[in-house]
Short mmCIF file of all heavy atoms in Angstrom, two decimals:
data_model
loop_
_atom_site.label_atom_id
_atom_site.label_comp_id
_atom_site.label_asym_id
_atom_site.label_seq_id
_atom_site.Cartn_x
_atom_site.Cartn_y
_atom_site.Cartn_z
N LEU A 26 -11.48 -18.70 -7.29
CA LEU A 26 -10.91 -17.42 -6.87
C LEU A 26 -9.41 -17.54 -6.56
O LEU A 26 -8.64 -16.64 -6.88
CB LEU A 26 -11.66 -16.90 -5.66
CG LEU A 26 -11.14 -15.61 -4.99
CD1 LEU A 26 -11.20 -14.43 -5.95
CD2 LEU A 26 -11.92 -15.30 -3.71
N LEU A 27 -9.02 -18.63 -5.95
CA LEU A 27 -7.59 -18.83 -5.58
C LEU A 27 -6.72 -19.27 -6.74
O LEU A 27 -5.49 -19.18 -6.65
CB LEU A 27 -7.51 -19.85 -4.44
CG LEU A 27 -7.86 -19.40 -3.03
CD1 LEU A 27 -7.54 -20.51 -2.05
CD2 LEU A 27 -7.13 -18.12 -2.65
N ARG A 28 -7.33 -19.77 -7.80
CA ARG A 28 -6.57 -20.32 -8.91
C ARG A 28 -5.62 -19.27 -9.50
O ARG A 28 -6.03 -18.20 -9.90
CB ARG A 28 -7.51 -20.83 -9.99
CG ARG A 28 -6.83 -21.64 -11.09
CD ARG A 28 -7.91 -22.25 -11.98
NE ARG A 28 -8.77 -23.15 -11.23
CZ ARG A 28 -9.98 -23.52 -11.63
NH1 ARG A 28 -10.49 -23.03 -12.76
NH2 ARG A 28 -10.69 -24.35 -10.89
N GLY A 29 -4.35 -19.59 -9.51
CA GLY A 29 -3.34 -18.70 -10.10
C GLY A 29 -2.86 -17.58 -9.18
O GLY A 29 -1.99 -16.80 -9.58
N ARG A 30 -3.36 -17.52 -7.97
CA ARG A 30 -2.93 -16.45 -7.05
C ARG A 30 -1.59 -16.79 -6.44
O ARG A 30 -1.30 -17.92 -6.06
CB ARG A 30 -3.95 -16.25 -5.93
CG ARG A 30 -5.31 -15.73 -6.36
CD ARG A 30 -6.12 -15.30 -5.16
NE ARG A 30 -5.46 -14.22 -4.44
CZ ARG A 30 -5.56 -12.94 -4.71
NH1 ARG A 30 -6.31 -12.55 -5.72
NH2 ARG A 30 -4.91 -12.03 -4.00
N LYS A 31 -0.73 -15.77 -6.32
CA LYS A 31 0.60 -15.97 -5.74
C LYS A 31 0.68 -15.50 -4.31
O LYS A 31 1.54 -15.94 -3.55
CB LYS A 31 1.65 -15.22 -6.59
CG LYS A 31 1.74 -15.73 -8.02
CD LYS A 31 2.78 -14.95 -8.82
CE LYS A 31 2.89 -15.46 -10.23
NZ LYS A 31 3.88 -14.70 -11.03
N ARG A 32 -0.20 -14.58 -3.93
CA ARG A 32 -0.19 -14.04 -2.56
C ARG A 32 -1.36 -14.58 -1.77
O ARG A 32 -2.42 -14.87 -2.33
CB ARG A 32 -0.25 -12.51 -2.61
CG ARG A 32 1.03 -11.83 -3.11
CD ARG A 32 0.74 -10.41 -3.57
NE ARG A 32 0.16 -9.57 -2.54
CZ ARG A 32 0.86 -8.67 -1.81
NH1 ARG A 32 2.15 -8.53 -2.01
NH2 ARG A 32 0.24 -7.94 -0.91
N PRO A 33 -1.21 -14.70 -0.46
CA PRO A 33 -2.33 -15.11 0.38
C PRO A 33 -3.47 -14.10 0.28
O PRO A 33 -3.26 -12.93 -0.07
CB PRO A 33 -1.74 -15.14 1.80
CG PRO A 33 -0.27 -15.25 1.59
CD PRO A 33 0.04 -14.52 0.32
N LEU A 34 -4.68 -14.55 0.59
CA LEU A 34 -5.85 -13.70 0.45
C LEU A 34 -6.65 -13.69 1.74
O LEU A 34 -7.02 -14.76 2.25
CB LEU A 34 -6.71 -14.18 -0.72
CG LEU A 34 -8.02 -13.40 -0.95
CD1 LEU A 34 -7.72 -11.96 -1.37
CD2 LEU A 34 -8.86 -14.09 -2.01
N HIS A 35 -6.94 -12.50 2.24
CA HIS A 35 -7.88 -12.32 3.35
C HIS A 35 -9.20 -11.87 2.74
O HIS A 35 -9.28 -10.77 2.15
CB HIS A 35 -7.35 -11.28 4.33
CG HIS A 35 -6.20 -11.76 5.15
ND1 HIS A 35 -6.35 -12.18 6.45
CD2 HIS A 35 -4.89 -11.89 4.83
CE1 HIS A 35 -5.16 -12.54 6.92
NE2 HIS A 35 -4.26 -12.39 5.94
N LEU A 36 -10.24 -12.68 2.87
CA LEU A 36 -11.50 -12.41 2.22
C LEU A 36 -12.54 -11.99 3.27
O LEU A 36 -12.83 -12.71 4.21
CB LEU A 36 -11.98 -13.68 1.49
CG LEU A 36 -13.10 -13.49 0.47
CD1 LEU A 36 -12.67 -12.55 -0.65
CD2 LEU A 36 -13.52 -14.84 -0.10
N MET A 37 -13.13 -10.79 3.07
CA MET A 37 -14.16 -10.24 3.94
C MET A 37 -15.53 -10.54 3.34
O MET A 37 -15.75 -10.27 2.15
CB MET A 37 -14.01 -8.73 4.11
CG MET A 37 -12.58 -8.27 4.35
SD MET A 37 -11.94 -8.79 5.93
CE MET A 37 -10.17 -8.78 5.59
N LEU A 38 -16.45 -11.08 4.10
CA LEU A 38 -17.75 -11.46 3.55
C LEU A 38 -18.84 -11.48 4.59
O LEU A 38 -18.56 -11.46 5.78
CB LEU A 38 -17.65 -12.83 2.87
CG LEU A 38 -17.32 -14.06 3.68
CD1 LEU A 38 -17.55 -15.32 2.83
CD2 LEU A 38 -15.85 -14.08 4.13
N ASP A 39 -20.08 -11.45 4.11
CA ASP A 39 -21.24 -11.42 4.99
C ASP A 39 -21.49 -12.81 5.61
O ASP A 39 -21.01 -13.83 5.10
CB ASP A 39 -22.48 -10.99 4.22
CG ASP A 39 -22.36 -9.58 3.69
OD1 ASP A 39 -21.66 -8.78 4.34
OD2 ASP A 39 -22.93 -9.28 2.63
N ARG A 40 -22.28 -12.81 6.66
CA ARG A 40 -22.52 -14.04 7.42
C ARG A 40 -23.73 -14.84 6.90
O ARG A 40 -24.60 -15.21 7.67
CB ARG A 40 -22.75 -13.69 8.90
CG ARG A 40 -21.57 -13.01 9.57
CD ARG A 40 -21.91 -12.52 10.94
NE ARG A 40 -20.78 -11.89 11.60
CZ ARG A 40 -19.90 -12.50 12.37
NH1 ARG A 40 -20.05 -13.80 12.61
NH2 ARG A 40 -18.89 -11.86 12.91
N LEU A 41 -23.77 -15.14 5.64
CA LEU A 41 -24.85 -15.97 5.12
C LEU A 41 -24.54 -17.44 5.39
O LEU A 41 -23.38 -17.85 5.42
CB LEU A 41 -25.02 -15.73 3.63
CG LEU A 41 -25.47 -14.30 3.24
CD1 LEU A 41 -25.69 -14.20 1.75
CD2 LEU A 41 -26.73 -13.89 3.99
N PRO A 42 -25.58 -18.27 5.60
CA PRO A 42 -25.36 -19.66 5.99
C PRO A 42 -24.44 -20.45 5.06
O PRO A 42 -23.61 -21.24 5.53
CB PRO A 42 -26.78 -20.24 6.00
CG PRO A 42 -27.65 -19.07 6.27
CD PRO A 42 -27.00 -17.92 5.59
N ALA A 43 -24.58 -20.27 3.74
CA ALA A 43 -23.79 -21.04 2.80
C ALA A 43 -22.27 -20.76 2.93
O ALA A 43 -21.45 -21.57 2.49
CB ALA A 43 -24.24 -20.74 1.36
N ARG A 44 -21.94 -19.63 3.53
CA ARG A 44 -20.53 -19.26 3.66
C ARG A 44 -19.94 -19.68 5.01
O ARG A 44 -18.76 -19.48 5.26
CB ARG A 44 -20.40 -17.74 3.50
CG ARG A 44 -20.98 -17.26 2.18
CD ARG A 44 -21.10 -15.75 2.12
NE ARG A 44 -21.85 -15.34 0.94
CZ ARG A 44 -22.19 -14.09 0.67
NH1 ARG A 44 -21.84 -13.12 1.51
NH2 ARG A 44 -22.88 -13.80 -0.42
N GLN A 45 -20.77 -20.24 5.89
CA GLN A 45 -20.28 -20.64 7.22
C GLN A 45 -20.48 -22.13 7.48
O GLN A 45 -20.55 -22.56 8.62
CB GLN A 45 -21.03 -19.83 8.30
CG GLN A 45 -20.84 -18.32 8.17
CD GLN A 45 -21.48 -17.55 9.31
OE1 GLN A 45 -20.94 -17.47 10.43
NE2 GLN A 45 -22.65 -17.00 9.06
N THR A 46 -20.52 -22.91 6.42
CA THR A 46 -20.69 -24.37 6.56
C THR A 46 -19.37 -25.02 6.96
O THR A 46 -18.29 -24.47 6.77
CB THR A 46 -21.20 -24.98 5.25
OG1 THR A 46 -20.18 -24.77 4.24
CG2 THR A 46 -22.49 -24.34 4.81
N LYS A 47 -19.48 -26.26 7.50
CA LYS A 47 -18.29 -27.03 7.86
C LYS A 47 -17.49 -27.37 6.60
O LYS A 47 -16.25 -27.39 6.63
CB LYS A 47 -18.70 -28.32 8.56
CG LYS A 47 -17.53 -29.15 9.07
CD LYS A 47 -18.02 -30.37 9.81
CE LYS A 47 -16.82 -31.14 10.39
NZ LYS A 47 -15.88 -31.60 9.34
N LEU A 48 -18.21 -27.56 5.49
CA LEU A 48 -17.54 -27.85 4.22
C LEU A 48 -16.60 -26.69 3.83
O LEU A 48 -15.45 -26.93 3.39
CB LEU A 48 -18.59 -28.08 3.12
CG LEU A 48 -18.07 -28.56 1.76
CD1 LEU A 48 -17.40 -29.91 1.89
CD2 LEU A 48 -19.23 -28.59 0.76
N ALA A 49 -17.10 -25.47 3.97
CA ALA A 49 -16.27 -24.30 3.65
C ALA A 49 -15.11 -24.16 4.62
O ALA A 49 -13.98 -23.86 4.19
CB ALA A 49 -17.14 -23.03 3.67
N ALA A 50 -15.37 -24.37 5.92
CA ALA A 50 -14.30 -24.28 6.92
C ALA A 50 -13.22 -25.31 6.66
O ALA A 50 -12.01 -25.03 6.79
CB ALA A 50 -14.88 -24.42 8.30
N ASP A 51 -13.63 -26.55 6.30
CA ASP A 51 -12.64 -27.59 6.03
C ASP A 51 -11.78 -27.26 4.81
O ASP A 51 -10.58 -27.51 4.81
CB ASP A 51 -13.36 -28.94 5.80
CG ASP A 51 -13.98 -29.48 7.06
OD1 ASP A 51 -13.59 -29.01 8.16
OD2 ASP A 51 -14.84 -30.37 6.97
N TYR A 52 -12.41 -26.70 3.78
CA TYR A 52 -11.64 -26.31 2.60
C TYR A 52 -10.62 -25.22 2.93
O TYR A 52 -9.46 -25.30 2.51
CB TYR A 52 -12.54 -25.84 1.46
CG TYR A 52 -11.76 -25.18 0.36
CD1 TYR A 52 -10.89 -25.95 -0.43
CD2 TYR A 52 -11.80 -23.80 0.17
CE1 TYR A 52 -10.11 -25.33 -1.42
CE2 TYR A 52 -11.05 -23.19 -0.81
CZ TYR A 52 -10.20 -23.95 -1.61
OH TYR A 52 -9.42 -23.34 -2.56
N VAL A 53 -11.06 -24.20 3.66
CA VAL A 53 -10.15 -23.11 4.02
C VAL A 53 -8.95 -23.67 4.78
O VAL A 53 -7.82 -23.24 4.60
CB VAL A 53 -10.88 -22.05 4.85
CG1 VAL A 53 -9.90 -21.04 5.42
CG2 VAL A 53 -11.94 -21.35 4.00
N ALA A 54 -9.19 -24.66 5.65
CA ALA A 54 -8.09 -25.26 6.42
C ALA A 54 -7.09 -25.93 5.51
O ALA A 54 -5.87 -25.93 5.80
CB ALA A 54 -8.65 -26.25 7.44
N THR A 55 -7.53 -26.50 4.38
CA THR A 55 -6.62 -27.18 3.47
C THR A 55 -5.74 -26.21 2.70
O THR A 55 -4.72 -26.62 2.12
CB THR A 55 -7.39 -28.02 2.45
OG1 THR A 55 -8.18 -27.16 1.59
CG2 THR A 55 -8.32 -29.02 3.17
N THR A 56 -6.10 -24.93 2.67
CA THR A 56 -5.29 -23.97 1.93
C THR A 56 -4.03 -23.55 2.69
O THR A 56 -3.15 -22.87 2.14
CB THR A 56 -6.10 -22.70 1.61
OG1 THR A 56 -6.43 -22.02 2.81
CG2 THR A 56 -7.37 -23.06 0.85
N LYS A 57 -3.95 -23.93 3.98
CA LYS A 57 -2.76 -23.67 4.81
C LYS A 57 -2.33 -22.19 4.80
O LYS A 57 -1.18 -21.87 4.59
CB LYS A 57 -1.61 -24.55 4.34
CG LYS A 57 -1.91 -26.04 4.48
CD LYS A 57 -0.74 -26.89 4.01
CE LYS A 57 -1.07 -28.38 4.16
NZ LYS A 57 0.04 -29.26 3.70
N GLY A 58 -3.33 -21.33 4.99
CA GLY A 58 -3.03 -19.90 5.10
C GLY A 58 -3.13 -19.13 3.80
O GLY A 58 -3.05 -17.89 3.83
N ARG A 59 -3.31 -19.83 2.68
CA ARG A 59 -3.45 -19.08 1.41
C ARG A 59 -4.77 -18.33 1.39
O ARG A 59 -4.89 -17.32 0.69
CB ARG A 59 -3.39 -20.05 0.23
CG ARG A 59 -2.02 -20.66 -0.02
CD ARG A 59 -2.04 -21.52 -1.28
NE ARG A 59 -2.37 -20.70 -2.44
CZ ARG A 59 -3.22 -21.09 -3.42
NH1 ARG A 59 -3.83 -22.26 -3.33
NH2 ARG A 59 -3.46 -20.31 -4.45
N LEU A 60 -5.78 -18.83 2.13
CA LEU A 60 -7.09 -18.17 2.19
C LEU A 60 -7.56 -18.10 3.62
O LEU A 60 -7.54 -19.10 4.34
CB LEU A 60 -8.12 -18.93 1.34
CG LEU A 60 -9.57 -18.43 1.41
CD1 LEU A 60 -9.67 -17.02 0.81
CD2 LEU A 60 -10.52 -19.38 0.70
N THR A 61 -7.98 -16.93 4.02
CA THR A 61 -8.56 -16.71 5.36
C THR A 61 -9.87 -15.97 5.19
O THR A 61 -9.92 -14.95 4.48
CB THR A 61 -7.63 -15.91 6.27
OG1 THR A 61 -6.32 -16.52 6.28
CG2 THR A 61 -8.16 -15.87 7.68
N LEU A 62 -10.92 -16.45 5.84
CA LEU A 62 -12.22 -15.81 5.79
C LEU A 62 -12.45 -14.97 7.04
O LEU A 62 -12.20 -15.43 8.15
CB LEU A 62 -13.34 -16.84 5.64
CG LEU A 62 -13.26 -17.79 4.44
CD1 LEU A 62 -14.50 -18.70 4.41
CD2 LEU A 62 -13.12 -17.03 3.13
N HIS A 63 -12.95 -13.76 6.84
CA HIS A 63 -13.29 -12.87 7.95
C HIS A 63 -14.72 -12.39 7.73
O HIS A 63 -15.05 -11.84 6.67
CB HIS A 63 -12.35 -11.67 8.00
CG HIS A 63 -10.90 -12.07 8.10
ND1 HIS A 63 -10.30 -12.41 9.28
CD2 HIS A 63 -9.94 -12.15 7.13
CE1 HIS A 63 -9.04 -12.69 9.06
NE2 HIS A 63 -8.80 -12.54 7.76
N PHE A 64 -15.58 -12.58 8.71
CA PHE A 64 -17.00 -12.27 8.55
C PHE A 64 -17.32 -10.90 9.12
O PHE A 64 -16.97 -10.57 10.25
CB PHE A 64 -17.84 -13.35 9.21
CG PHE A 64 -17.73 -14.67 8.54
CD1 PHE A 64 -16.86 -15.65 9.01
CD2 PHE A 64 -18.47 -14.95 7.39
CE1 PHE A 64 -16.76 -16.88 8.37
CE2 PHE A 64 -18.36 -16.16 6.74
CZ PHE A 64 -17.50 -17.13 7.23
N LEU A 65 -18.03 -10.11 8.29
CA LEU A 65 -18.46 -8.78 8.69
C LEU A 65 -19.51 -8.88 9.80
O LEU A 65 -20.15 -9.93 9.95
CB LEU A 65 -19.06 -8.06 7.48
CG LEU A 65 -18.10 -7.73 6.34
CD1 LEU A 65 -18.88 -7.45 5.07
CD2 LEU A 65 -17.24 -6.54 6.68
N PRO A 66 -19.74 -7.81 10.55
CA PRO A 66 -20.83 -7.82 11.54
C PRO A 66 -22.16 -8.13 10.86
O PRO A 66 -22.39 -7.80 9.70
CB PRO A 66 -20.80 -6.40 12.10
CG PRO A 66 -19.39 -5.92 11.85
CD PRO A 66 -18.98 -6.55 10.57
N GLY A 67 -23.04 -8.78 11.60
CA GLY A 67 -24.33 -9.16 11.04
C GLY A 67 -25.21 -7.97 10.69
O GLY A 67 -25.13 -6.92 11.30
N TYR A 68 -26.01 -8.16 9.65
CA TYR A 68 -26.98 -7.16 9.21
C TYR A 68 -26.35 -5.80 8.88
O TYR A 68 -26.90 -4.74 9.16
CB TYR A 68 -28.08 -6.98 10.25
CG TYR A 68 -28.78 -8.25 10.59
CD1 TYR A 68 -28.43 -9.00 11.71
CD2 TYR A 68 -29.81 -8.73 9.77
CE1 TYR A 68 -29.08 -10.19 12.01
CE2 TYR A 68 -30.45 -9.92 10.08
CZ TYR A 68 -30.08 -10.64 11.19
OH TYR A 68 -30.74 -11.83 11.47
N ALA A 69 -25.12 -5.85 8.31
CA ALA A 69 -24.45 -4.60 7.97
C ALA A 69 -23.87 -4.68 6.56
O ALA A 69 -22.67 -4.56 6.35
CB ALA A 69 -23.34 -4.30 8.98
#
């Protein structure tokens, strides 16, 4: 998703387990602000 992007991205997504793993959090940290994840309220 980030490949070739020039602007930072704020990504809104549901709170499913695969999206809240430490692996995902560590990767987001390596983007240094190019990608930020924001989780929607549960069950909505």
Side-chain angles (χ1 to χ4, degrees):
L26 175 62
L27 283 187
R28 189 173 299 161
R30 294 192 61 86
K31 297 180 180 179
R32 288 161 58 100
L34 178 64
H35 287 259
L36 195 61
M37 316 291 156
L38 63 169
D39 297 330
R40 298 173 179 269
L41 296 183
R44 304 168 189 177
Q45 300 185 79
T46 63
K47 185 177 184 300
L48 187 63
D51 290 344
Y52 168 69
V53 171
T55 65
T56 66
K57 298 180 180 179
R59 291 184 61 222
L60 175 65
T61 307
L62 303 184
H63 303 279
F64 293 97
L65 294 161
Y68 303 97

